[in-house]
Amino acid sequence: ADMSIADLLPASDFEQKAVAYLDEKVPKWRDGFLTPNDEAGVRRRFRILAEVAGGEEPGLAALQRNLGVMCIGEDVSRAAARALVAGLGRDGAADVVRKNPGVLAIKASSLSGAGLTRTVAVADIIDFFLGPGKIFVELAKLLAYASAAKIIVDFIFIQAGLTPPWDSFSL
């Protein structure tokens, strides 16, 4: 990992919040295969995220949206960030990263032309389903639970040699 002057400075409030969030959600992150093994590594990855997301506050919000960004190597995320800024400008890149921080895992060479267009579209879709479209996600979960419950009840009735009451209805 590359050291920078920022590694020698005291951690910012938001860098401390990023470490605390990781501690809360993944207590054994220091032992992880893909996560940084020390706070300096978390701070470095957070700084890359914060820079492309448009600041430390949106960077923390992006981290909270997708903690998986802590598993993306610094070189990969830095290259992806540069490619996004080159293709979309600083504001466009920040918008995409805030919507879908996972874009920082995409190989930089895929973040141009049609690949960049797809990346923006996917970020918009993800943002919709995590924001105003969350109700649809919840309804889909409810439907899945109801379907699973019906399958289980049907199985119990059939195992007991009975016909489920809803199967005997006719119109």
Side-chain angles (χ1 to χ4, degrees):
D2 300 326
M3 277 219 21
S4 73
I5 298 293
D7 290 330
L8 305 175
L9 299 173
S12 73
D13 286 348
F14 281 97
E15 288 173 349
Q16 290 173 359
K17 288 177 184 176
V19 171
Y21 186 72
L22 193 56
D23 279 336
E24 175 193 335
K25 298 296 181 185
V26 188
K28 296 182 185 230
W29 61 266
R30 287 170 183 83
D31 303 325
F33 176 64
L34 294 172
T35 51
N37 57 7
D38 60 12
E39 287 187 17
V42 173
R43 291 173 56 204
R44 279 192 302 275
R45 290 181 189 193
F46 176 73
R47 282 194 300 270
I48 295 166
L49 176 62
E51 183 179 335
V52 72
E56 287 191 316
E57 191 167 351
L60 184 62
L63 175 65
Q64 291 167 336
R65 180 169 260 210
N66 183 350
L67 189 57
V69 294
M70 277 296 142
C71 296
I72 304 167
E74 293 157 41
D75 293 339
V76 172
S77 59
R78 200 175 287 116
R82 278 195 296 268
L84 287 166
V85 170
L88 301 171
R90 193 160 287 288
D91 290 343
D95 187 50
V96 166
V97 169
R98 286 191 299 261
K99 290 175 180 176
N100 179 15
V103 299
L104 294 178
I106 298 172
K107 195 167 56 169
S109 60
S110 300
L111 290 171
S112 61
L116 183 59
T117 304
R118 276 192 304 276
T119 299
V120 171
V122 168
D124 288 339
I125 292 167
I126 288 171
D127 189 53
F128 174 77
F129 282 111
L130 290 177
K134 192 170 186 169
I135 184 76
F136 298 117
V137 174
E138 295 305 318
L139 286 172
K141 284 186 199 172
L142 194 60
L143 262 167
Y145 289 135
S147 297
K150 183 182 181 312
I151 290 168
I152 291 167
V153 170
D154 282 354
F155 181 76
I156 292 169
F157 270 86
I158 291 167
Q159 287 297 311
L162 304 170
T163 303
W166 42 83
D167 286 354
S168 58
F169 288 124
S170 61
L171 296 176

